[in-house]
Amino acid sequence: MPERSATVVSYAAGASLAAVALIYVFGPTFTIDHDSGNSSRKTTIVGLRNQANDCFINSVLQALAGLGDLRVYLIRETHRRHIEDPAVYQNLVQPQAGARLEQWKLQGLQEGLVTRGLKDMLDALNERPIARKSISPFPFVKVLEAAFKQRISRQQQDAQEFLQIVAERLKDEYRAAVDAQRPPDLAATNGDDAEPEPKAQAPVVAEPEVEESFPMEGKYESHIECLACRYRTKPREESFCTLTLAVPHVSSTSLSACFDGIFKTEFVDDFKCEMCRLVQAKATLEHELARSTSDGFRAQAKDSIEKLAAAIETDPEQPPVGVELGDIRYAPKRRIGKTTRMTIFPKVLAIHLSRSIYGVGQMTQKNSAKVAFPERLPLGGLADQHKYKLLGIITHRGGHNSGHYEAFRRQNQPSPYHNANTFQPSDIYSKTSTPVSTPRMAAARQAGSPATSTPDLLSASPATNSSTPSLESMPAAPRSVPPEMGSPQSDAKDRDADTSSLRSVAASTKSALSRLAPSKAGQDSSASPRSSKAQQAAPAKRAKKRKPASDRWWRVSDEKVREAKTSEVLGMQREVYMLFYELEE
C-alpha cells in the first residue's frame, strides 16, 4: 500500500509538471502566433542599438536578416564545418589562383569566422519578442575586426562599403572551404626533375552545385564589337556581390533605366580596334613588298605578313612578336559597340544606386533624383528570364557626407524559420529535434507523424465562432489505437491501477488552461440569437481588415521599429539607396 501511494504521488507530480510545461509552451506562443504569422500586430522584431554612429551597420544587418536564401546558406556552411571531419579545415590549403595568404588569414577563411558570426547575429535579429527589444551589433563588429585584424571606423561610413566588405569576406570563406575539401594534388609532391608517378584512381570529387554556392555572387561578361570589321573581342567575365548602378542626373528615373546604363549596348567613337590595326599593318607591308627590290627586305616583309595573317586568324588581341605595327597614334579609329550581359544570376541580388555627382574641384554632391523600383523585377532575356521579389531596401536621408540610414524588410518570413517564440502548436514536436534557429528545408509532413497527432493531446470541444482559435477548439486528429492498448474499459482499469496516461495529462492541462481563459461555450449558450449572429459576423469583418502578409513590412531605424506597407516602401524613391531582391523559384 505505501508503494502504491508513492506511485500515485509521483504520477500526480509528473502530471502537474507536464501541465505547467504545456501551459508555458502553448500559452505565450498561442498568443503570439495564433494566426499563422498574421498576428504581427501583437509582436515586434529586434532592433539594433546605435552606440557610435552605427546606422550604416544596423541598416545592412536588418536588411540581411530578411533574406531567406542567405540565412539558409549561413546555417548550412556553419553546420557543415561542425559535422564534417575537423581535419578537413585544419589543414591549410592555399588558393589555386592568386597570391599566397598568410597563415592566420587562411585559417580564419577556412574556419568561416564571419559566416558563423553573421549567422548568430541574424538568428538574434529574427527572434520575435513580445515586447520591444534591442541588441548591440558590436558582437558581429568584433568578429569582423578579428577576421581582418583591423578596427572598423564608425565615423559616417557608407552602408554599401560595409556590405561589400561583408559579402566579399563571405565569398572568400566559401571558396576557402571548397579548396580545403579538394584532394591534394599527388603530382605536386614529386620533384621538378622526377618522373611523374602514375596516379591511383581516386574517386572523383564533385564540384559544389550551383544552388549551394554563395547566394549573393553573380557574374556578368562584356565584349566589344567593331562596327567596321565586325570583330568581336573575347568576353571578359567578372564576378560581383553587389551590383552598382549609376543614377542619371535627372529629376526622376526608373530602376530599368539605371540597368540600361550597364546592360544596354553602348556606342563609342574614335576607338582603336586591334583587328583593324593588324589589317592595316598587313596591307601596308604588302604594298611595300610589291614595290621593293631588296631581297632582304622582301624576305623580312614576307615573314611579317605571315605572322600578321596568323594573328588575324587566331587572336588579334595578341600582336605578333617582332612585327612593327607603327605608331598607335596613326592607327585607324573606329566606332565600336560595348555589350554587357549577366551570365550567372545570383539568388540574392543586392543593388547599390550610386548617387554621387562629381563637380569641379573634387567636390561631390548627392543626387536626389527619384528612382522608381518595382516589387517584382524580371531580368534576362525571353528564353532565360529570371524573376526577383523585393525583400528589403536601405534608404538614406541627408547630404553626401552625412545623414541617416534606415532599413525596410518584409515581414513574412518563410515557414521553415521557427524559433522558441514562433513555433505553432501543431508542429512543436516536429521542430524540437533541430536547433531552434535552424530552418528545416521543405520538410514534408507524413501521416501519423507526431506533428499530426499533437492536437490530440487536448480533446476537442464544440466549435466556437471566434476568429482566434483556442486550445479548446482545436480539432482532434484521428488516432489509431494499437491492439495491445486494449479497450476503453481496460484503459479505465489501468488508470485505476495507477498507470500513467498521456490523455489524463492532457485533460489536466486542459482544465488548467480553462482557468486561464474563460470558456466561450458558456458565453454562447447564454447569449441571445442576435448576439450570436453578431459574433459570427465580427471575425469576417476583422479578416477583411487584415493586411495581406506580402503587403506588410518592418521599418527599422536602429532601435525604432514600426510596421509599414508596400506602398510606403515603393514610395521611398528619393531616399532609396540599396535594394535587396531574392530569386523566385
Side-chain angles (χ1 to χ4, degrees), residues 416-439:
Y417 294 97
H418 294 276
N419 56 39
N421 290 334
T422 60
F423 54 77
Q424 299 294 328
S426 61
D427 57 5
I428 289 176
Y429 294 97
S430 64
K431 304 297 182 183
T432 54
S433 60
T434 59
V436 293
S437 61
T438 303

Side-chain angles (χ1 to χ4, degrees), residues 348-502:
V348 175
L349 179 62
I351 301 174
H352 164 231
L353 299 178
S354 178
R355 291 181 173 272
S356 299
I357 302 176
Y358 299 96
V360 182
Q362 302 287 335
M363 296 296 294
T364 57
Q365 298 177 351
K366 180 182 177 181
N367 186 353
S368 298
K370 291 184 177 180
V371 180
F373 52 94
E375 187 179 6
R376 293 294 195 283
L377 177 65
L379 289 180
L382 297 177
D384 60 341
Q385 190 175 75
H386 299 74
K387 295 182 179 180
Y388 287 85
K389 180 181 179 180
L390 182 66
L391 293 188
I393 72 169
I394 293 178
T395 61
H396 180 264
R397 295 177 180 270
H400 185 271
N401 297 320
S402 63
H404 181 66
Y405 291 100
E406 288 185 348
F408 289 79
R409 46 179 289 200
R410 198 178 285 271
Q411 287 192 33
N412 55 331
Q413 289 292 332
S415 57
Y417 294 97
H418 294 276
N419 56 39
N421 290 334
T422 60
F423 54 77
Q424 299 294 328
S426 61
D427 57 5
I428 289 176
Y429 294 97
S430 64
K431 304 297 182 183
T432 54
S433 60
T434 59
V436 293
S437 61
T438 303
R440 297 173 63 88
M441 298 296 294
R445 182 174 293 179
Q446 301 177 357
S449 65
T452 57
S453 61
T454 300
D456 196 46
L457 293 176
L458 303 173
S459 58
S461 61
T464 63
N465 296 326
S466 173
S467 63
T468 302
S470 62
L471 290 176
E472 290 84 354
S473 63
M474 291 174 63
R479 301 175 71 246
S480 58
V481 181
E484 60 271 12
M485 294 182 65
S487 61
Q489 291 80 4
S490 63
D491 292 341
K493 295 178 181 179
D494 293 339
R495 284 193 296 268
D496 294 338
D498 300 330
T499 303
S500 61
S501 171
L502 187 61

Side-chain angles (χ1 to χ4, degrees), residues 48 57-65 118 121-122 125 137 140 162:
L48 287 169
I57 298 177
N58 296 346
S59 60
V60 171
L61 292 179
Q62 290 287 2
L64 296 181
L118 184 59
M121 176 57 64
L122 298 191
L125 290 177
F140 179 68
F162 178 76

